[in-house]
Amino acid sequence: MTHEVRAVGAPAENAPLERMTIERRNVLPDDVRIAIEFCGVCHSDIHTVRGDWGGVPYPLVVGHEIVGTVVEVGANVAKYSVGDTVGVGCLIKSCGECTNCRSGDDHFCQAPGHPILTYSEPDPFTPGWTTQGGYSQEIVVTQSMVVRVPDALDKAAAAPLLCAGITLYSPLKNWGAGPGKTVGIVGIGGLGHMGVKFAKALGAHTVAFTTSPEKVAMCKELGADEVIVSTNAEAMKAAAERFDLIVSTLPGDHDMNPYLNLLGINGSYVIVGAVGMMTEPFASYNLMRRHRSIAGSQIGSLRETQEMLDFCAEHNIVSDIELIDADGINAAFDRVVAGDVKFRFVIDNSTI
Amino acid sequence: MTHEVRAVGAPAENAPLERMTIERRNVLPDDVRIAIEFCGVCHSDIHTVRGDWGGVPYPLVVGHEIVGTVVEVGANVAKYSVGDTVGVGCLIKSCGECTNCRSGDDHFCQAPGHPILTYSEPDPFTPGWTTQGGYSQEIVVTQSMVVRVPDALDKAAAAPLLCAGITLYSPLKNWGAGPGKTVGIVGIGGLGHMGVKFAKALGAHTVAFTTSPEKVAMCKELGADEVIVSTNAEAMKAAAERFDLIVSTLPGDHDMNPYLNLLGINGSYVIVGAVGMMTEPFASYNLMRRHRSIAGSQIGSLRETQEMLDFCAEHNIVSDIELIDADGINAAFDRVVAGDVKFRFVIDNSTI
């Protein structure tokens, strides 16, 4: 009831990725079998395989920015047909029954151990297996966790939308980015460059924050109406109270106070990049004196992901990518860690 | 152009309050002169006179929960007449011209040094003076910073509404407390007991959090639909994800994580009691995994304060108080610091 597919995965902690063979289940009635054409390289992939977050069940194949073509569907699948271009993101199962799932917020599924991640978790469909991600020839996914990739989108450049894209789109929509609003995006990398594109397309006055004066022109090319170099104290001071929303892609623990001061009444500073303990003190007064908030967001629901893909087709938005072969993945990992990518590596899965 | 009034104030740091005489300006065209009948005792009064927040210009008269009767009005004052019952809260001046003032958020006035507090700040109307608060016979206040106290309210018990009341009413309204919402109030003291009353009157399912099992019955008497003893780990676990809004009156730096876990999607933990640096780490994941927020709020606008007083008249809400004479103020301060008051001391200013 299984079949083998080629993949590129980590055989052990601290080992380079290497070619390997993994098993996929044969299609169940609700399954969609997808020949993967492209898979984005997310920083989470690197954190996971390198053991930064612990608890990795090796061997492991990562990758959760998956675009491919449907090659087989189960008996219950009416929504997708062979030949359709589809995507799979960070999740491959939610319970479908809890309060949050019923309200369409499946990414906030409340069932124990849920939602199930696309890789590195106990496989709920095949006891004893670990979920294995998109650095592989194909994947079999239950239909409710599959989204349609509009034909208008370049498939390779659409792959990062499945994680980096939705990670920015969801908070921008949830916190009301749109006409008449001033929105900041902090950190213009794989996540942040999507934030600039989305905030602009949603109609907000879009401001990119970067530490690098040499990135100003590039931020404007992405669509930023303004760029603020965050190391420029004068510029930061002049921006006080101007923002309705600031989405921060800063990856680690950091001092939020300089950004809190930029928020107007009821403004929100939304963390999407920093996973861990926030230990830098913040002044409660910086919240109290303007009804400001510090918030957090994480990927998005399947419904939002489909909405985002359709929005991207309408607004001609994809990720800026560097396409790589499977053999280039270890070098690409090192370059991501060094911050040396504009803005997302995508694997051409035909080379796996 | 000035006149003397009796007061009770601090002559110096670490000195007990004592009877003294202070000067008030004679009425200007926009002024209302108020014979103070009652003034609440706020913990901020104690922090200020004891130098906890530094920079105190002694001698100083504190008090910003002021209720009294209009005894004189300036030539431009049409809204108030001699004999009206009115209130004054924490602020005696905003600029009236900045973006926030123009939108009715005068408590968030953006002018340098504004808004001006009712006590301990340079007096903008009389050069060289310090603003002096409500532990005094009378006060002269510009009409835009005066609110009307409805006749239906007990004057003494209404005094704490001007600070404790609005401090809870504003965040409850701003973050949508009402029918269908589950709202928690953390810390059931001078601030928190008003929060329970307001949340209940606004129609929310109201939950009081207290560390003291012996306070459960009292919380229910205040109107709480439920009481959770926050030291009970089982009870806290069972409350996970149930709350739309939690307003925290906890006075100092504290671990927010246990409360963040109680918030549902888009839920907010709103700090109103802790003024200072929040140094206890919080898990960004506790925000990210449900679109949760940590926010802050501070008193309210004059418009909100009037709305609150009218709401109180409609819903028969006042503070629970212990009325004291002027001679009892130093003992009352010690009891507030010890947490020994249900729930607010109010000075009978006729004894000053």
Side-chain angles (χ1 to χ4, degrees):
Chain A
M1 309 300 281
T2 70
H3 60 285
E4 290 193 336
V5 303
R6 292 192 303 278
V8 176
E13 192 171 332
N14 295 321
L17 300 205
E18 61 181 39
R19 290 172 183 277
M20 57 177 59
T21 300
I22 60 172
E23 286 184 291
R24 297 291 191 190
R25 69 178 180 271
N26 291 348
V27 296
L28 301 170
D30 283 302
D31 279 344
V32 176
R33 184 159 68 91
I34 303 163
I36 304 175
E37 293 172 72
F38 299 100
C39 186
V41 174
C42 177
H43 209 137
S44 299
D45 299 347
I46 304 171
H47 283 303
T48 300
V49 298
R50 295 190 171 174
D52 296 344
W53 295 337
V56 181
Y58 299 99
L60 182 69
V61 174
V62 293
H64 56 208
E65 297 182 338
I66 298 167
V67 169
T69 300
V70 175
V71 290
E72 184 182 359
V73 296
N76 295 342
V77 177
K79 192 175 169 191
Y80 298 106
S81 306
V82 171
D84 288 353
T85 302
V86 295
V88 176
C90 298
L91 307 177
I92 54 90
K93 184 174 179 290
S94 62
C95 80
E97 294 170 4
C98 68
T99 303
N100 292 354
C101 280
R102 286 201 311 269
S103 67
D105 295 301
D106 37 33
H107 60 317
F108 294 150
C109 177
Q110 295 161 301
H114 281 62
I116 309 280
L117 300 176
T118 300
Y119 58 76
S120 82
E121 296 213 303
D123 189 330
F125 297 97
T126 313
W129 284 18
T130 294
T131 58
Q132 302 285 357
Y135 296 6
S136 57
Q137 258 189 306
E138 65 171 53
I139 191 168
V140 179
V141 179
T142 199
Q143 61 176 334
S144 63
M145 307 307 279
V146 175
V147 288
R148 186 176 300 279
V149 176
D151 291 338
L153 297 178
D154 178 85
K155 291 183 188 183
L161 299 174
L162 277 303
C163 172
I166 189 61
T167 295
L168 274 290
Y169 182 84
S170 175
L172 288 166
K173 286 285 285 188
N174 192 65
W175 276 273
K181 299 296 178 76
T182 298
V183 173
I185 306 291
V186 182
I188 310 303
L191 295 174
H193 94 290
M194 293 308 309
V196 172
K197 292 185 183 199
F198 284 135
K200 181 69 177 174
L202 286 164
H205 182 79
T206 301
V207 183
F209 290 86
T210 176
T211 53
S212 311
E214 67 271 21
K215 286 192 182 173
V216 169
M218 174 272 287
C219 291
K220 292 205 168 170
E221 282 168 26
L222 290 170
D225 297 299
E226 278 183 68
V227 185
I228 294 176
V229 177
S230 57
T231 50
N232 180 336
E234 281 300 309
M236 290 292 277
K237 191 174 172 189
E241 303 194 38
R242 282 189 52 205
F243 288 81
D244 299 289
L245 171 64
I246 296 175
V247 180
S248 169
T249 72
L250 298 180
D253 198 5
H254 59 271
D255 181 7
M256 297 176 287
N257 291 293
Y259 293 102
L260 298 180
N261 283 323
L262 307 190
L263 297 170
I265 294 174
N266 283 316
S268 294
Y269 179 81
V270 182
I271 297 166
V272 302
V275 179
M277 294 306 284
M278 302 298 288
T279 65
E280 291 282 341
F282 68 90
S284 59
Y285 188 65
N286 274 341
L287 302 180
M288 296 167 81
R289 71 195 194 86
R290 295 292 185 266
H291 276 177
R292 293 162 174 154
S293 298
I294 298 165
S297 182
Q298 185 180 48
I299 56 172
S301 68
L302 268 287
R303 185 185 58 196
E304 285 175 305
T305 305
Q306 186 63 64
E307 175 187 309
M308 170 205 66
L309 289 166
D310 297 340
F311 180 88
C312 285
E314 188 183 340
H315 293 270
N316 197 26
I317 292 174
V318 287
S319 184
D320 288 10
I321 67 164
E322 290 190 44
L323 196 64
I324 59 171
D325 286 353
D327 291 333
I329 187 65
N330 289 302
F333 273 21
D334 291 339
R335 284 184 54 199
V336 170
V337 171
D340 176 27
V341 53
K342 283 182 182 170
F343 286 90
R344 205 73 161 176
F345 288 113
V346 172
I347 302 168
D348 176 352
N349 284 44
S350 71
T351 65
I352 289 177
Chain B
M1 309 298 281
T2 70
H3 58 285
E4 292 194 335
V5 304
R6 292 192 304 278
V8 177
E13 193 170 332
N14 296 320
L17 299 205
E18 62 181 38
R19 289 172 184 278
M20 57 176 58
T21 299
I22 60 173
E23 286 184 292
R24 297 291 189 191
R25 70 179 180 269
N26 292 347
V27 295
L28 301 171
D30 283 302
D31 279 344
V32 176
R33 185 160 68 92
I34 303 163
I36 304 176
E37 293 173 72
F38 300 100
C39 185
V41 175
C42 177
H43 209 137
S44 299
D45 298 346
I46 303 172
H47 283 305
T48 301
V49 295
R50 294 191 172 173
D52 296 345
W53 295 336
V56 181
Y58 298 99
L60 182 68
V61 174
V62 294
H64 55 208
E65 297 181 337
I66 297 167
V67 170
T69 300
V70 175
V71 290
E72 184 181 0
V73 296
N76 294 343
V77 177
K79 192 175 169 191
Y80 298 106
S81 306
V82 171
D84 288 352
T85 302
V86 295
V88 176
C90 297
L91 307 177
I92 54 90
K93 185 174 179 289
S94 63
C95 80
E97 293 169 6
C98 68
T99 302
N100 292 354
C101 281
R102 285 202 311 269
S103 67
D105 296 301
D106 37 34
H107 60 318
F108 295 150
C109 177
Q110 297 162 301
H114 281 61
I116 309 281
L117 300 177
T118 300
Y119 58 76
S120 80
E121 296 212 303
D123 188 330
F125 298 96
T126 313
W129 284 19
T130 294
T131 59
Q132 303 285 356
Y135 297 6
S136 57
Q137 259 190 307
E138 66 171 52
I139 191 167
V140 178
V141 179
T142 198
Q143 61 174 337
S144 62
M145 307 308 279
V146 174
V147 288
R148 186 176 300 280
V149 177
D151 292 336
L153 298 178
D154 178 86
K155 291 183 187 182
L161 298 175
L162 278 303
C163 172
I166 190 61
T167 296
L168 274 290
Y169 183 83
S170 175
L172 287 166
K173 286 285 285 189
N174 192 65
W175 277 273
K181 299 297 178 73
T182 298
V183 173
I185 306 291
V186 182
I188 310 303
L191 295 174
H193 94 290
M194 292 310 309
V196 171
K197 292 184 182 199
F198 284 134
K200 181 69 178 175
L202 287 164
H205 182 79
T206 302
V207 183
F209 289 86
T210 175
T211 53
S212 311
E214 66 271 20
K215 285 192 183 173
V216 170
M218 173 271 286
C219 290
K220 292 206 167 168
E221 282 168 26
L222 290 170
D225 296 299
E226 278 182 69
V227 184
I228 293 177
V229 177
S230 57
T231 51
N232 180 336
E234 281 298 309
M236 290 292 277
K237 191 174 171 188
E241 302 194 40
R242 283 188 53 206
F243 288 81
D244 298 290
L245 171 63
I246 296 175
V247 180
S248 169
T249 73
L250 298 181
D253 198 6
H254 59 272
D255 181 8
M256 296 177 287
N257 291 291
Y259 293 102
L260 297 180
N261 283 322
L262 308 189
L263 297 170
I265 295 173
N266 283 317
S268 294
Y269 179 81
V270 182
I271 297 166
V272 302
V275 180
M277 294 306 284
M278 302 296 289
T279 64
E280 290 282 339
F282 68 91
S284 60
Y285 188 64
N286 275 341
L287 301 181
M288 297 167 81
R289 70 195 195 87
R290 295 292 185 266
H291 277 177
R292 293 163 174 153
S293 297
I294 298 165
S297 182
Q298 185 180 49
I299 56 172
S301 67
L302 269 286
R303 183 185 60 194
E304 285 175 305
T305 306
Q306 187 63 63
E307 175 188 309
M308 172 204 65
L309 289 167
D310 297 340
F311 181 87
C312 285
E314 188 183 339
H315 293 270
N316 197 25
I317 292 174
V318 287
S319 184
D320 289 9
I321 67 162
E322 290 189 44
L323 195 63
I324 59 171
D325 287 353
D327 289 334
I329 188 66
N330 289 302
F333 273 22
D334 291 338
R335 285 183 54 199
V336 169
V337 172
D340 176 28
V341 53
K342 283 180 183 171
F343 286 93
R344 205 72 163 177
F345 288 114
V346 172
I347 302 168
D348 176 353
N349 285 45
S350 71
T351 65
I352 289 177

